[in-house]
Amino acid sequence: MEIVKQLVEWVVAWANSPYGPAALFVIAFAESSFFPVPPDTLLIPLGIANPSLALLFALVCTVGSVIGGMFGYWIGIKGGRPVALKLFGEDKVMFVQLMYQRYDVWAIFIAAFTPIPYKVFTIAAGVFVLDFKRFVLASIVGRGARFFLVGGAIFLFGDTIQYLIANYFEVAVSAFTLLLIGGFLVLNYVARRFAQKEKARQVVEQTPSPAQRE
């Protein structure tokens, strides 16, 4: 957890740099395919420092994230299932495959909007060859809704949020860290439970009935 917290603090520190907006784009891009820290951690302090530009920062974040998701899709296409298994493990890959079978690109929207690790779904989308145009559309809607919700709140309530962050910065960093870890833990737990049920179902299906034994 300490390493994750240090990464969050490193990302937040870019808010005090003149290269903050560029860093936001790069981090949003990287988080969609391999980097663990969500770009919200930089979007919020950048927006608070310049509330009038919060919506512009949300746009930068959305564009970077969607392009990063497209890169993740390309990784999945080129690397196939072996790369996904190496990166995420069999349980997660099986779970994401089921999500795509049941919900198609809606699974992308859910991952794009929530703290669930988006990168797992972008790479898996390439592995399972989801329709690319619909994948991009779901990513734009999900990521845009998430980041513009944050940017819009800062645009409207910047002064109040600025006061809260200034007085509770460490709490905010810790909250982001817990949220990030929580997203991974939830995905791990759900994927593991699904894998256990799926393996049990396969065992039952492969076990011959008394009639078949005769």
Side-chain angles (χ1 to χ4, degrees), residues 47-126:
I48 289 172
N50 298 279
S52 62
L53 298 178
L55 296 178
L56 177 60
F57 294 144
L59 177 62
V60 170
C61 202
T62 300
V63 173
S65 186
V66 171
I67 295 176
M70 295 164 67
F71 178 64
Y73 186 98
W74 179 83
I75 291 174
I77 285 282
K78 293 298 182 181
R81 195 179 186 97
V83 168
L85 291 173
K86 186 173 182 180
L87 290 173
F88 309 122
E90 184 179 2
D91 291 353
K92 290 191 187 73
V93 173
M94 288 176 60
F95 173 71
V96 174
Q97 184 176 12
L98 175 67
M99 292 298 100
Y100 284 145
Q101 290 172 348
R102 288 186 177 179
Y103 306 113
D104 196 52
V105 294
W106 282 106
I108 281 288
F109 171 81
I110 293 169
F113 186 73
T114 66
I116 295 174
Y118 176 55
K119 63 184 70 61
V120 179
F121 285 78
T122 63
I123 293 175

Side-chain angles (χ1 to χ4, degrees), residues 43 54-56 58-60 62 143-153:
L43 171 61
L55 296 178
L56 177 60
L59 177 62
V60 170
T62 300
R143 295 265 99 172
R146 171 170 165 172
F147 299 137
F148 274 92
L149 184 64
V150 173

Side-chain angles (χ1 to χ4, degrees):
M1 179 172 175
E2 186 59 32
I3 294 176
V4 176
K5 187 175 181 180
Q6 289 175 359
L7 277 174
V8 171
E9 291 175 344
W10 176 78
V11 170
V12 171
W14 281 101
N16 298 318
S17 166
Y19 303 106
L24 177 63
F25 179 89
V26 172
I27 290 168
F29 174 92
E31 187 267 342
S32 295
S33 49
F34 60 88
F35 191 64
V37 179
D40 314 61
T41 53
L42 180 55
L43 171 61
I44 290 175
L46 275 176
I48 289 172
N50 298 279
S52 62
L53 298 178
L55 296 178
L56 177 60
F57 294 144
L59 177 62
V60 170
C61 202
T62 300
V63 173
S65 186
V66 171
I67 295 176
M70 295 164 67
F71 178 64
Y73 186 98
W74 179 83
I75 291 174
I77 285 282
K78 293 298 182 181
R81 195 179 186 97
V83 168
L85 291 173
K86 186 173 182 180
L87 290 173
F88 309 122
E90 184 179 2
D91 291 353
K92 290 191 187 73
V93 173
M94 288 176 60
F95 173 71
V96 174
Q97 184 176 12
L98 175 67
M99 292 298 100
Y100 284 145
Q101 290 172 348
R102 288 186 177 179
Y103 306 113
D104 196 52
V105 294
W106 282 106
I108 281 288
F109 171 81
I110 293 169
F113 186 73
T114 66
I116 295 174
Y118 176 55
K119 63 184 70 61
V120 179
F121 285 78
T122 63
I123 293 175
V127 172
F128 302 124
V129 198
L130 262 69
D131 182 82
F132 182 70
K133 292 180 180 178
R134 296 171 67 219
F135 162 79
V136 172
L137 179 60
S139 295
I140 291 172
V141 174
R143 295 265 99 172
R146 171 170 165 172
F147 299 137
F148 274 92
L149 184 64
V150 173
I154 295 172
F155 182 78
L156 294 174
F157 308 108
D159 292 340
T160 302
I161 297 174
Q162 188 176 39
Y163 171 80
L164 292 174
I165 293 294
N167 288 276
Y168 302 100
F169 178 77
E170 284 298 323
V171 175
V173 170
S174 297
F176 269 115
T177 304
L178 291 173
L179 190 63
L180 172 62
I181 294 174
F184 278 103
L185 290 178
V186 167
L187 182 59
N188 285 339
Y189 174 77
V190 173
R192 187 169 59 250
R193 289 294 300 272
F194 163 75
Q196 290 172 349
K197 291 181 180 179
E198 184 66 16
K199 290 173 182 177
R201 182 186 64 80
Q202 291 174 1
V203 169
V204 171
E205 290 180 349
Q206 293 170 3
T207 300
S209 65
Q212 290 173 324
R213 292 195 195 101
E214 295 174 1

